[in-house]
Amino acid sequence: QVQLVESGGGSVQSGGSLKLSCTASGQSYGRRHVAWFREAPGKDREGIASLDTNTGTTVYADSVKGRFTISRDNAKNTLTREIVYLQMDSVKPDDTAMYYCASSPWRGGLSLSAYNWWGRGTQVTVSS
C-alpha cells in the first residue's frame, strides 16, 4: 500500500511559477514509478510527467515539455517516505486543473491504467 498526498496548489498569474509536492509513504516497492496527472473541468484526466525513481528516467507530455519539471528530493527521502515535486514554470490559463500524483510498482509513463495508487489532488488556477 502507498499513500500519496499532494500540496502546493493555489492561484498564480499567467507566466508565473508554482511548485507542487507529492509526499508518498508506504511500501517502497510501490513507489518505483511516480507521475503527475491533471484534470481540467470537462476534460479527461491526462498524464503530464512521470519519473522512474530507480533510474531517474522522466517522461513529459508535449503540453508541458520545457515548462514543467518532475524531480525527487533525495535529501528528504527515507525507506518509508519520499517527496516528488512538479516545478511549473511559464504557466498558462490552460494549465488550470486539479493536479494528482500517482504511483506504481511496475509500470511508468503517462497512462492512467499504469498506476495503482492516487492522491486526492491539489487545485491549480492560472489567471490571465
Side-chain angles (χ1 to χ4, degrees), residues 12-127:
V12 61
Q13 287 194 326
S14 182
S17 297
L18 204 61
K19 188 173 186 177
L20 306 183
S21 299
C22 172
T23 301
S25 59
Q27 295 178 326
S28 60
Y29 83 95
R31 297 181 268 121
R32 163 80 188 262
H33 300 278
V34 179
W36 285 95
F37 290 78
R38 67 185 181 186
E39 186 172 340
K43 295 186 178 180
D44 294 334
R45 189 172 299 188
E46 62 168 339
I48 57 172
S50 72
L51 171 68
D52 181 331
T53 61
N54 280 12
T55 66
T57 301
T58 57
V59 178
Y60 294 96
D62 288 343
S63 58
V64 305
K65 197 174 294 183
R67 300 188 299 121
F68 292 7
T69 303
I70 187 171
S71 64
R72 184 184 183 207
D73 192 332
N74 292 322
K76 294 183 179 179
N77 291 340
T78 67
L79 286 176
T80 57
R81 187 197 73 177
E82 65 187 298
I83 300 175
V84 174
Y85 301 112
L86 183 70
Q87 176 67 44
M88 305 169 61
D89 297 318
S90 302
V91 296
K92 307 172 183 178
D94 284 349
D95 294 321
T96 295
M98 184 71 80
Y99 284 71
Y100 300 89
C101 68
S103 74
S104 164
W106 305 290
R107 294 170 55 197
L110 302 180
S111 174
L112 272 74
S113 62
Y115 293 88
N116 304 82
W117 295 285
W118 293 81
R120 294 189 174 186
T122 186
Q123 177 68 38
V124 172
T125 302
V126 182
S127 58

